Amino acid sequence: MSSPSIVHSRSLTRRSALGIAALALVMPSVSAFAQTPAILVQKDPNCGCCSGWARHLKEAGFAVTTQETTDLRPVRKRLGVPADLAACHTAEVDGYVLEGHVPVVAVRRLLEKRPTAIGLAVPGMPAGSPGMEGGTPQRYDVVLFGRTGRQPFMHYVGSENIG
């Protein structure tokens, strides 16, 4: 017959094994979240769509900090955003600039591929883009821009990536 201390020891070992297994299941998502860089969003304090875009990023697991300003021109100038790509908010993430309603899928692709560029832009405020939900979704391009020019990075209709 086994002594109570041996039974208790086996019980702790089983619990420990279950705890380790549970921790192993949780760790990949915690690790992925920990590796998601923080995003600084600079926006007009009266703009609701900017808040919607920031919420889109937060729901995707990014740590988002918001700074409010009524004049984004100096921010865009400092970061190298061309005037014709300007939108209603400007963000910074891991050495890149995000201008406008850039979908989180494009942000993740940018951070994964790490192209030589200043950043991504969605000029204007296309209907259906993150933060601009509602109405008839428009087709729009996410533009990769840098010192040597610009090129299409991804194409969307509303929130749907079409290439």
Side-chain angles (χ1 to χ4, degrees):
M1 187 133 238
S2 42
S3 73
S5 64
I6 293 174
V7 172
H8 182 68
S9 176
R10 284 186 187 153
S11 177
L12 280 176
T13 301
R14 285 186 194 134
R15 282 189 205 134
S16 298
L18 288 173
I20 291 169
L23 186 61
L25 291 173
V26 173
M27 283 306 291
S29 61
V30 170
S31 176
F33 184 76
Q35 293 176 5
T36 302
I39 298 179
L40 171 63
V41 178
Q42 299 188 58
K43 68 175 213 57
D44 186 292
N46 302 309
C47 187
C49 68
C50 299
S51 298
W53 183 70
R55 188 172 42 256
H56 169 72
L57 297 171
K58 287 178 184 177
E59 289 171 354
F62 285 94
V64 177
T65 303
T66 303
Q67 286 184 346
E68 297 187 340
T69 179
T70 55
D71 187 8
L72 286 168
R73 287 176 298 181
V75 173
R76 290 188 189 110
K77 184 175 181 178
R78 176 178 58 82
L79 296 173
V81 177
D84 65 321
L85 294 181
C88 58
H89 53 264
T90 304
E92 299 172 68
V93 59
D94 206 23
Y96 288 105
V97 175
L98 305 173
E99 180 67 23
H101 295 268
V102 178
V104 75
V105 172
V107 175
R108 289 194 189 284
R109 182 179 288 178
L110 174 75
L111 296 174
E112 177 187 320
K113 302 287 184 190
R114 307 232 27 108
T116 302
I118 293 173
L120 296 177
V122 172
M125 299 168 69
S129 62
M132 292 294 298
E133 294 84 1
T136 303
Q138 295 177 319
R139 184 187 191 287
Y140 61 95
D141 294 329
V142 176
V143 178
L144 179 73
F145 67 97
R147 301 198 195 307
T148 59
R150 59 185 80 173
Q151 65 187 33
F153 189 70
M154 296 178 82
H155 310 282
Y156 283 82
V157 172
S159 62
E160 182 182 349
N161 177 7
I162 58 170

